Amino acid sequence: MQKGEELYRGKAKTVFFTDDPNLLILEFRNDTSAFDGEKIEQLERKGEVNNKFNHFIMQQLESAGVKTQVENLVSDTESLVKKLKMIPVECVVRNYAAGSLCRRLGVEEGKILNPPTFEFFLKNDALHDPMVNESHIVGFEWATQAQIDEMKTLSFKVNEVLSPLFAKGGMLLVDFKLEFGTDSQGNIVLGDEFTPDGCRLWDSETKKKLDKDRFRQGLGSVVESYIEVASRIGLDL
Ligand code: TMP
């Protein structure tokens, strides 16, 4: 597989063409961003850790019947992925209240949400990823109602697969964000990444934060925590 020119550079990952028009290379960089790009730092080894973490999680999801973009690892920091047409919304599932939900609704951090909640956000840093509803998504033609229904179903399925996986490692999957796209046949496929950059994970007993909130809140030991999470779910990095 020949790596081609850069297609897109995001805040933490870069996408490259390959010599196969249906495949891209996703490079996980050490850049770590929070608050819609307001805070950016380089964290040593984070690219490698997230690339391998993402590959491991996507494999678990594939085994459970969730179609993902990931084909295989091509280097420490790069993965080969299917080219998707990305849908510009973020799908957030929450099992416990945290982050923007607490700020928006004034609820206490850690309140259990049973059943889990689901929210859509528009992917737009300049507008700070505003929350949108299904009628906005259909009305502005970001996705069809059928695609919305499938993204929701798949997001809850991911929750059902990953919550027990993290629970076995003594962690609570507090919330997470997914992004989907369509493949060349129009199927909805899970894209982007699943790493501690895009979810919240707390130690089940102590409630210690083991995810990107360590970076957002300046708690330190960010990559070390990601490595600990990986090791607790059986991935030694
Ligand atoms: P929030 O509490 O800030 O709305 O975030 C909910 C979850 O989604 C949290 O695990 C972080 C993740 N997330 C991202 O990874 N990127 C984003 O742009 C947003 C809005 C959320």
PDB file of all heavy atoms in Angstrom, residues 164-199:
ATOM      1  N   PRO A 164     -19.576  -3.343  29.104  1.00  0.00           N
ATOM      2  CA  PRO A 164     -19.089  -4.519  29.839  1.00  0.00           C
ATOM      3  C   PRO A 164     -17.582  -4.748  29.694  1.00  0.00           C
ATOM      4  O   PRO A 164     -16.942  -5.225  30.630  1.00  0.00           O
ATOM      5  CB  PRO A 164     -19.852  -5.692  29.215  1.00  0.00           C
ATOM      6  CG  PRO A 164     -20.846  -5.130  28.283  1.00  0.00           C
ATOM      7  CD  PRO A 164     -20.578  -3.696  28.070  1.00  0.00           C
ATOM      8  N   LEU A 165     -17.038  -4.402  28.536  1.00  0.00           N
ATOM      9  CA  LEU A 165     -15.585  -4.563  28.327  1.00  0.00           C
ATOM     10  C   LEU A 165     -14.814  -3.689  29.337  1.00  0.00           C
ATOM     11  O   LEU A 165     -13.877  -4.154  30.005  1.00  0.00           O
ATOM     12  CB  LEU A 165     -15.227  -4.160  26.892  1.00  0.00           C
ATOM     13  CG  LEU A 165     -13.742  -4.183  26.530  1.00  0.00           C
ATOM     14  CD1 LEU A 165     -13.286  -5.615  26.253  1.00  0.00           C
ATOM     15  CD2 LEU A 165     -13.459  -3.326  25.283  1.00  0.00           C
ATOM     16  N   PHE A 166     -15.224  -2.428  29.468  1.00  0.00           N
ATOM     17  CA  PHE A 166     -14.545  -1.538  30.424  1.00  0.00           C
ATOM     18  C   PHE A 166     -14.887  -1.937  31.867  1.00  0.00           C
ATOM     19  O   PHE A 166     -14.042  -1.826  32.758  1.00  0.00           O
ATOM     20  CB  PHE A 166     -14.895  -0.070  30.145  1.00  0.00           C
ATOM     21  CG  PHE A 166     -14.272   0.453  28.870  1.00  0.00           C
ATOM     22  CD1 PHE A 166     -15.046   0.804  27.776  1.00  0.00           C
ATOM     23  CD2 PHE A 166     -12.887   0.581  28.765  1.00  0.00           C
ATOM     24  CE1 PHE A 166     -14.462   1.267  26.593  1.00  0.00           C
ATOM     25  CE2 PHE A 166     -12.290   1.047  27.587  1.00  0.00           C
ATOM     26  CZ  PHE A 166     -13.089   1.399  26.499  1.00  0.00           C
ATOM     27  N   ALA A 167     -16.117  -2.411  32.077  1.00  0.00           N
ATOM     28  CA  ALA A 167     -16.516  -2.829  33.434  1.00  0.00           C
ATOM     29  C   ALA A 167     -15.617  -3.966  33.932  1.00  0.00           C
ATOM     30  O   ALA A 167     -15.203  -3.976  35.092  1.00  0.00           O
ATOM     31  CB  ALA A 167     -17.981  -3.257  33.449  1.00  0.00           C
ATOM     32  N   LYS A 168     -15.284  -4.891  33.029  1.00  0.00           N
ATOM     33  CA  LYS A 168     -14.388  -6.001  33.402  1.00  0.00           C
ATOM     34  C   LYS A 168     -13.033  -5.480  33.837  1.00  0.00           C
ATOM     35  O   LYS A 168     -12.358  -6.101  34.660  1.00  0.00           O
ATOM     36  CB  LYS A 168     -14.204  -6.959  32.215  1.00  0.00           C
ATOM     37  CG  LYS A 168     -15.185  -8.097  32.229  1.00  0.00           C
ATOM     38  CD  LYS A 168     -14.790  -9.161  31.206  1.00  0.00           C
ATOM     39  CE  LYS A 168     -15.976  -9.435  30.298  1.00  0.00           C
ATOM     40  NZ  LYS A 168     -15.651  -9.720  28.912  1.00  0.00           N
ATOM     41  N   GLY A 169     -12.619  -4.345  33.271  1.00  0.00           N
ATOM     42  CA  GLY A 169     -11.356  -3.708  33.657  1.00  0.00           C
ATOM     43  C   GLY A 169     -11.521  -2.738  34.823  1.00  0.00           C
ATOM     44  O   GLY A 169     -10.624  -1.922  35.069  1.00  0.00           O
ATOM     45  N   GLY A 170     -12.675  -2.806  35.509  1.00  0.00           N
ATOM     46  CA  GLY A 170     -12.890  -1.951  36.687  1.00  0.00           C
ATOM     47  C   GLY A 170     -13.126  -0.489  36.354  1.00  0.00           C
ATOM     48  O   GLY A 170     -12.741   0.403  37.118  1.00  0.00           O
ATOM     49  N   MET A 171     -13.760  -0.246  35.192  1.00  0.00           N
ATOM     50  CA  MET A 171     -14.006   1.146  34.788  1.00  0.00           C
ATOM     51  C   MET A 171     -15.464   1.363  34.374  1.00  0.00           C
ATOM     52  O   MET A 171     -16.122   0.441  33.896  1.00  0.00           O
ATOM     53  CB  MET A 171     -13.109   1.507  33.594  1.00  0.00           C
ATOM     54  CG  MET A 171     -11.638   1.581  33.959  1.00  0.00           C
ATOM     55  SD  MET A 171     -10.591   1.713  32.503  1.00  0.00           S
ATOM     56  CE  MET A 171     -10.612   0.032  31.918  1.00  0.00           C
ATOM     57  N   LEU A 172     -15.914   2.603  34.560  1.00  0.00           N
ATOM     58  CA  LEU A 172     -17.235   3.014  34.086  1.00  0.00           C
ATOM     59  C   LEU A 172     -17.064   3.745  32.766  1.00  0.00           C
ATOM     60  O   LEU A 172     -16.250   4.684  32.682  1.00  0.00           O
ATOM     61  CB  LEU A 172     -17.885   3.985  35.082  1.00  0.00           C
ATOM     62  CG  LEU A 172     -18.087   3.505  36.511  1.00  0.00           C
ATOM     63  CD1 LEU A 172     -18.650   4.649  37.364  1.00  0.00           C
ATOM     64  CD2 LEU A 172     -19.030   2.308  36.523  1.00  0.00           C
ATOM     65  N   LEU A 173     -17.811   3.311  31.746  1.00  0.00           N
ATOM     66  CA  LEU A 173     -17.855   4.072  30.493  1.00  0.00           C
ATOM     67  C   LEU A 173     -18.918   5.150  30.712  1.00  0.00           C
ATOM     68  O   LEU A 173     -20.115   4.887  30.627  1.00  0.00           O
ATOM     69  CB  LEU A 173     -18.196   3.158  29.312  1.00  0.00           C
ATOM     70  CG  LEU A 173     -18.310   3.843  27.950  1.00  0.00           C
ATOM     71  CD1 LEU A 173     -17.033   4.583  27.573  1.00  0.00           C
ATOM     72  CD2 LEU A 173     -18.666   2.824  26.858  1.00  0.00           C
ATOM     73  N   VAL A 174     -18.462   6.348  31.027  1.00  0.00           N
ATOM     74  CA  VAL A 174     -19.360   7.446  31.423  1.00  0.00           C
ATOM     75  C   VAL A 174     -20.120   7.984  30.214  1.00  0.00           C
ATOM     76  O   VAL A 174     -21.345   8.123  30.240  1.00  0.00           O
ATOM     77  CB  VAL A 174     -18.544   8.569  32.099  1.00  0.00           C
ATOM     78  CG1 VAL A 174     -19.396   9.807  32.358  1.00  0.00           C
ATOM     79  CG2 VAL A 174     -17.932   8.042  33.388  1.00  0.00           C
ATOM     80  N   ASP A 175     -19.377   8.276  29.148  1.00  0.00           N
ATOM     81  CA  ASP A 175     -19.996   8.757  27.903  1.00  0.00           C
ATOM     82  C   ASP A 175     -18.997   8.574  26.770  1.00  0.00           C
ATOM     83  O   ASP A 175     -17.817   8.287  27.009  1.00  0.00           O
ATOM     84  CB  ASP A 175     -20.472  10.221  28.020  1.00  0.00           C
ATOM     85  CG  ASP A 175     -19.361  11.189  28.385  1.00  0.00           C
ATOM     86  OD1 ASP A 175     -18.197  10.942  28.028  1.00  0.00           O
ATOM     87  OD2 ASP A 175     -19.654  12.203  29.040  1.00  0.00           O
ATOM     88  N   PHE A 176     -19.477   8.738  25.545  1.00  0.00           N
ATOM     89  CA  PHE A 176     -18.567   8.658  24.396  1.00  0.00           C
ATOM     90  C   PHE A 176     -19.200   9.305  23.188  1.00  0.00           C
ATOM     91  O   PHE A 176     -20.415   9.494  23.124  1.00  0.00           O
ATOM     92  CB  PHE A 176     -18.172   7.204  24.098  1.00  0.00           C
ATOM     93  CG  PHE A 176     -19.322   6.296  23.749  1.00  0.00           C
ATOM     94  CD1 PHE A 176     -19.770   6.174  22.446  1.00  0.00           C
ATOM     95  CD2 PHE A 176     -19.976   5.565  24.740  1.00  0.00           C
ATOM     96  CE1 PHE A 176     -20.827   5.326  22.121  1.00  0.00           C
ATOM     97  CE2 PHE A 176     -21.038   4.715  24.431  1.00  0.00           C
ATOM     98  CZ  PHE A 176     -21.464   4.597  23.119  1.00  0.00           C
ATOM     99  N   LYS A 177     -18.328   9.630  22.233  1.00  0.00           N
ATOM    100  CA  LYS A 177     -18.749  10.287  21.003  1.00  0.00           C
ATOM    101  C   LYS A 177     -18.341   9.435  19.809  1.00  0.00           C
ATOM    102  O   LYS A 177     -17.210   8.936  19.749  1.00  0.00           O
ATOM    103  CB  LYS A 177     -18.058  11.654  20.929  1.00  0.00           C
ATOM    104  CG  LYS A 177     -18.390  12.501  19.729  1.00  0.00           C
ATOM    105  CD  LYS A 177     -17.440  12.404  18.577  1.00  0.00           C
ATOM    106  CE  LYS A 177     -16.009  12.758  18.887  1.00  0.00           C
ATOM    107  NZ  LYS A 177     -15.151  12.614  17.685  1.00  0.00           N
ATOM    108  N   LEU A 178     -19.271   9.241  18.876  1.00  0.00           N
ATOM    109  CA  LEU A 178     -18.982   8.480  17.655  1.00  0.00           C
ATOM    110  C   LEU A 178     -19.277   9.341  16.430  1.00  0.00           C
ATOM    111  O   LEU A 178     -20.127  10.234  16.485  1.00  0.00           O
ATOM    112  CB  LEU A 178     -19.861   7.226  17.574  1.00  0.00           C
ATOM    113  CG  LEU A 178     -19.781   6.219  18.720  1.00  0.00           C
ATOM    114  CD1 LEU A 178     -20.794   5.096  18.494  1.00  0.00           C
ATOM    115  CD2 LEU A 178     -18.377   5.651  18.872  1.00  0.00           C
ATOM    116  N   GLU A 179     -18.576   9.032  15.344  1.00  0.00           N
ATOM    117  CA  GLU A 179     -18.873   9.664  14.057  1.00  0.00           C
ATOM    118  C   GLU A 179     -19.024   8.569  13.011  1.00  0.00           C
ATOM    119  O   GLU A 179     -18.247   7.622  12.988  1.00  0.00           O
ATOM    120  CB  GLU A 179     -17.750  10.625  13.648  1.00  0.00           C
ATOM    121  CG  GLU A 179     -17.649  11.815  14.603  1.00  0.00           C
ATOM    122  CD  GLU A 179     -16.522  12.769  14.250  1.00  0.00           C
ATOM    123  OE1 GLU A 179     -16.201  12.926  13.058  1.00  0.00           O
ATOM    124  OE2 GLU A 179     -15.961  13.355  15.198  1.00  0.00           O
ATOM    125  N   PHE A 180     -20.029   8.734  12.172  1.00  0.00           N
ATOM    126  CA  PHE A 180     -20.316   7.738  11.134  1.00  0.00           C
ATOM    127  C   PHE A 180     -20.175   8.353   9.747  1.00  0.00           C
ATOM    128  O   PHE A 180     -20.245   9.579   9.580  1.00  0.00           O
ATOM    129  CB  PHE A 180     -21.748   7.209  11.279  1.00  0.00           C
ATOM    130  CG  PHE A 180     -21.987   6.436  12.543  1.00  0.00           C
ATOM    131  CD1 PHE A 180     -22.418   7.077  13.704  1.00  0.00           C
ATOM    132  CD2 PHE A 180     -21.774   5.063  12.583  1.00  0.00           C
ATOM    133  CE1 PHE A 180     -22.630   6.370  14.883  1.00  0.00           C
ATOM    134  CE2 PHE A 180     -21.987   4.343  13.751  1.00  0.00           C
ATOM    135  CZ  PHE A 180     -22.414   4.997  14.910  1.00  0.00           C
ATOM    136  N   GLY A 181     -20.015   7.465   8.754  1.00  0.00           N
ATOM    137  CA  GLY A 181     -19.995   7.903   7.360  1.00  0.00           C
ATOM    138  C   GLY A 181     -20.659   6.841   6.520  1.00  0.00           C
ATOM    139  O   GLY A 181     -21.097   5.799   7.030  1.00  0.00           O
ATOM    140  N   THR A 182     -20.720   7.088   5.208  1.00  0.00           N
ATOM    141  CA  THR A 182     -21.270   6.077   4.306  1.00  0.00           C
ATOM    142  C   THR A 182     -20.160   5.558   3.396  1.00  0.00           C
ATOM    143  O   THR A 182     -19.303   6.329   2.956  1.00  0.00           O
ATOM    144  CB  THR A 182     -22.421   6.641   3.445  1.00  0.00           C
ATOM    145  OG1 THR A 182     -21.992   7.875   2.842  1.00  0.00           O
ATOM    146  CG2 THR A 182     -23.647   6.926   4.280  1.00  0.00           C
ATOM    147  N   ASP A 183     -20.174   4.243   3.156  1.00  0.00           N
ATOM    148  CA  ASP A 183     -19.167   3.651   2.265  1.00  0.00           C
ATOM    149  C   ASP A 183     -19.640   3.738   0.818  1.00  0.00           C
ATOM    150  O   ASP A 183     -20.711   4.305   0.536  1.00  0.00           O
ATOM    151  CB  ASP A 183     -18.828   2.211   2.698  1.00  0.00           C
ATOM    152  CG  ASP A 183     -20.000   1.249   2.521  1.00  0.00           C
ATOM    153  OD1 ASP A 183     -21.002   1.612   1.870  1.00  0.00           O
ATOM    154  OD2 ASP A 183     -19.902   0.117   3.042  1.00  0.00           O
ATOM    155  N   SER A 184     -18.876   3.144  -0.101  1.00  0.00           N
ATOM    156  CA  SER A 184     -19.182   3.286  -1.535  1.00  0.00           C
ATOM    157  C   SER A 184     -20.538   2.670  -1.894  1.00  0.00           C
ATOM    158  O   SER A 184     -21.146   3.043  -2.885  1.00  0.00           O
ATOM    159  CB  SER A 184     -18.060   2.666  -2.373  1.00  0.00           C
ATOM    160  OG  SER A 184     -17.788   1.367  -1.907  1.00  0.00           O
ATOM    161  N   GLN A 185     -21.024   1.727  -1.037  1.00  0.00           N
ATOM    162  CA  GLN A 185     -22.349   1.141  -1.305  1.00  0.00           C
ATOM    163  C   GLN A 185     -23.480   1.839  -0.543  1.00  0.00           C
ATOM    164  O   GLN A 185     -24.625   1.395  -0.579  1.00  0.00           O
ATOM    165  CB  GLN A 185     -22.357  -0.343  -0.938  1.00  0.00           C
ATOM    166  CG  GLN A 185     -21.663  -1.224  -1.958  1.00  0.00           C
ATOM    167  CD  GLN A 185     -20.436  -1.880  -1.354  1.00  0.00           C
ATOM    168  OE1 GLN A 185     -20.521  -2.523  -0.308  1.00  0.00           O
ATOM    169  NE2 GLN A 185     -19.296  -1.689  -1.978  1.00  0.00           N
ATOM    170  N   GLY A 186     -23.114   2.914   0.185  1.00  0.00           N
ATOM    171  CA  GLY A 186     -24.144   3.656   0.925  1.00  0.00           C
ATOM    172  C   GLY A 186     -24.447   3.097   2.305  1.00  0.00           C
ATOM    173  O   GLY A 186     -25.365   3.567   2.982  1.00  0.00           O
ATOM    174  N   ASN A 187     -23.676   2.096   2.761  1.00  0.00           N
ATOM    175  CA  ASN A 187     -23.886   1.576   4.130  1.00  0.00           C
ATOM    176  C   ASN A 187     -23.356   2.560   5.164  1.00  0.00           C
ATOM    177  O   ASN A 187     -22.335   3.203   4.935  1.00  0.00           O
ATOM    178  CB  ASN A 187     -23.102   0.265   4.330  1.00  0.00           C
ATOM    179  CG  ASN A 187     -23.490  -0.792   3.335  1.00  0.00           C
ATOM    180  OD1 ASN A 187     -24.665  -1.103   3.187  1.00  0.00           O
ATOM    181  ND2 ASN A 187     -22.502  -1.332   2.635  1.00  0.00           N
ATOM    182  N   ILE A 188     -24.038   2.619   6.321  1.00  0.00           N
ATOM    183  CA  ILE A 188     -23.541   3.428   7.440  1.00  0.00           C
ATOM    184  C   ILE A 188     -22.432   2.645   8.144  1.00  0.00           C
ATOM    185  O   ILE A 188     -22.634   1.494   8.550  1.00  0.00           O
ATOM    186  CB  ILE A 188     -24.680   3.723   8.447  1.00  0.00           C
ATOM    187  CG1 ILE A 188     -25.748   4.612   7.809  1.00  0.00           C
ATOM    188  CG2 ILE A 188     -24.133   4.347   9.727  1.00  0.00           C
ATOM    189  CD1 ILE A 188     -25.440   6.077   7.777  1.00  0.00           C
ATOM    190  N   VAL A 189     -21.265   3.278   8.263  1.00  0.00           N
ATOM    191  CA  VAL A 189     -20.083   2.625   8.836  1.00  0.00           C
ATOM    192  C   VAL A 189     -19.504   3.536   9.920  1.00  0.00           C
ATOM    193  O   VAL A 189     -19.473   4.764   9.755  1.00  0.00           O
ATOM    194  CB  VAL A 189     -19.025   2.374   7.723  1.00  0.00           C
ATOM    195  CG1 VAL A 189     -17.752   1.774   8.287  1.00  0.00           C
ATOM    196  CG2 VAL A 189     -19.597   1.476   6.628  1.00  0.00           C
ATOM    197  N   LEU A 190     -19.047   2.920  11.031  1.00  0.00           N
ATOM    198  CA  LEU A 190     -18.421   3.698  12.105  1.00  0.00           C
ATOM    199  C   LEU A 190     -17.049   4.182  11.660  1.00  0.00           C
ATOM    200  O   LEU A 190     -16.203   3.375  11.259  1.00  0.00           O
ATOM    201  CB  LEU A 190     -18.298   2.823  13.370  1.00  0.00           C
ATOM    202  CG  LEU A 190     -17.627   3.475  14.570  1.00  0.00           C
ATOM    203  CD1 LEU A 190     -18.371   4.727  15.032  1.00  0.00           C
ATOM    204  CD2 LEU A 190     -17.513   2.472  15.726  1.00  0.00           C
ATOM    205  N   GLY A 191     -16.822   5.488  11.727  1.00  0.00           N
ATOM    206  CA  GLY A 191     -15.542   6.059  11.312  1.00  0.00           C
ATOM    207  C   GLY A 191     -14.825   6.732  12.469  1.00  0.00           C
ATOM    208  O   GLY A 191     -15.063   6.402  13.638  1.00  0.00           O
ATOM    209  N   ASP A 192     -13.946   7.651  12.143  1.00  0.00           N
ATOM    210  CA  ASP A 192     -13.200   8.447  13.129  1.00  0.00           C
ATOM    211  C   ASP A 192     -12.462   7.534  14.104  1.00  0.00           C
ATOM    212  O   ASP A 192     -11.672   6.714  13.660  1.00  0.00           O
ATOM    213  CB  ASP A 192     -14.153   9.417  13.832  1.00  0.00           C
ATOM    214  CG  ASP A 192     -13.429  10.460  14.672  1.00  0.00           C
ATOM    215  OD1 ASP A 192     -12.510  11.105  14.139  1.00  0.00           O
ATOM    216  OD2 ASP A 192     -13.770  10.615  15.860  1.00  0.00           O
ATOM    217  N   GLU A 193     -12.711   7.642  15.405  1.00  0.00           N
ATOM    218  CA  GLU A 193     -11.926   6.859  16.368  1.00  0.00           C
ATOM    219  C   GLU A 193     -12.744   6.562  17.615  1.00  0.00           C
ATOM    220  O   GLU A 193     -13.730   7.248  17.911  1.00  0.00           O
ATOM    221  CB  GLU A 193     -10.676   7.647  16.790  1.00  0.00           C
ATOM    222  CG  GLU A 193     -10.976   8.883  17.614  1.00  0.00           C
ATOM    223  CD  GLU A 193      -9.709   9.663  18.004  1.00  0.00           C
ATOM    224  OE1 GLU A 193      -8.977   9.223  18.899  1.00  0.00           O
ATOM    225  OE2 GLU A 193      -9.475  10.729  17.390  1.00  0.00           O
ATOM    226  N   PHE A 194     -12.313   5.517  18.332  1.00  0.00           N
ATOM    227  CA  PHE A 194     -12.777   5.330  19.701  1.00  0.00           C
ATOM    228  C   PHE A 194     -11.521   5.190  20.550  1.00  0.00           C
ATOM    229  O   PHE A 194     -10.843   4.160  20.509  1.00  0.00           O
ATOM    230  CB  PHE A 194     -13.676   4.098  19.877  1.00  0.00           C
ATOM    231  CG  PHE A 194     -14.350   4.092  21.225  1.00  0.00           C
ATOM    232  CD1 PHE A 194     -15.681   4.417  21.376  1.00  0.00           C
ATOM    233  CD2 PHE A 194     -13.606   3.841  22.383  1.00  0.00           C
ATOM    234  CE1 PHE A 194     -16.289   4.463  22.625  1.00  0.00           C
ATOM    235  CE2 PHE A 194     -14.197   3.890  23.640  1.00  0.00           C
ATOM    236  CZ  PHE A 194     -15.541   4.199  23.751  1.00  0.00           C
ATOM    237  N   THR A 195     -11.196   6.246  21.273  1.00  0.00           N
ATOM    238  CA  THR A 195     -10.015   6.266  22.146  1.00  0.00           C
ATOM    239  C   THR A 195     -10.389   7.072  23.394  1.00  0.00           C
ATOM    240  O   THR A 195     -11.462   7.703  23.427  1.00  0.00           O
ATOM    241  CB  THR A 195      -8.826   6.976  21.460  1.00  0.00           C
ATOM    242  OG1 THR A 195      -9.154   8.379  21.345  1.00  0.00           O
ATOM    243  CG2 THR A 195      -8.527   6.404  20.081  1.00  0.00           C
ATOM    244  N   PRO A 196      -9.517   7.114  24.404  1.00  0.00           N
ATOM    245  CA  PRO A 196      -9.821   7.941  25.580  1.00  0.00           C
ATOM    246  C   PRO A 196      -9.856   9.442  25.277  1.00  0.00           C
ATOM    247  O   PRO A 196     -10.199  10.248  26.147  1.00  0.00           O
ATOM    248  CB  PRO A 196      -8.680   7.600  26.558  1.00  0.00           C
ATOM    249  CG  PRO A 196      -8.229   6.242  26.140  1.00  0.00           C
ATOM    250  CD  PRO A 196      -8.332   6.245  24.635  1.00  0.00           C
ATOM    251  N   ASP A 197      -9.531   9.836  24.033  1.00  0.00           N
ATOM    252  CA  ASP A 197      -9.696  11.238  23.623  1.00  0.00           C
ATOM    253  C   ASP A 197     -11.171  11.578  23.407  1.00  0.00           C
ATOM    254  O   ASP A 197     -11.533  12.757  23.460  1.00  0.00           O
ATOM    255  CB  ASP A 197      -8.975  11.499  22.290  1.00  0.00           C
ATOM    256  CG  ASP A 197      -7.548  12.000  22.469  1.00  0.00           C
ATOM    257  OD1 ASP A 197      -7.087  12.102  23.621  1.00  0.00           O
ATOM    258  OD2 ASP A 197      -6.903  12.286  21.440  1.00  0.00           O
ATOM    259  N   GLY A 198     -12.000  10.579  23.109  1.00  0.00           N
ATOM    260  CA  GLY A 198     -13.377  10.862  22.722  1.00  0.00           C
ATOM    261  C   GLY A 198     -14.403  10.178  23.601  1.00  0.00           C
ATOM    262  O   GLY A 198     -15.547   9.974  23.192  1.00  0.00           O
ATOM    263  N   CYS A 199     -13.963   9.793  24.808  1.00  0.00           N
ATOM    264  CA  CYS A 199     -14.920   9.189  25.738  1.00  0.00           C
ATOM    265  C   CYS A 199     -14.517   9.562  27.160  1.00  0.00           C
ATOM    266  O   CYS A 199     -13.468  10.160  27.373  1.00  0.00           O
ATOM    267  CB  CYS A 199     -14.952   7.662  25.593  1.00  0.00           C
ATOM    268  SG  CYS A 199     -13.468   6.810  26.144  1.00  0.00           S
TER     269      CYS A 199
END
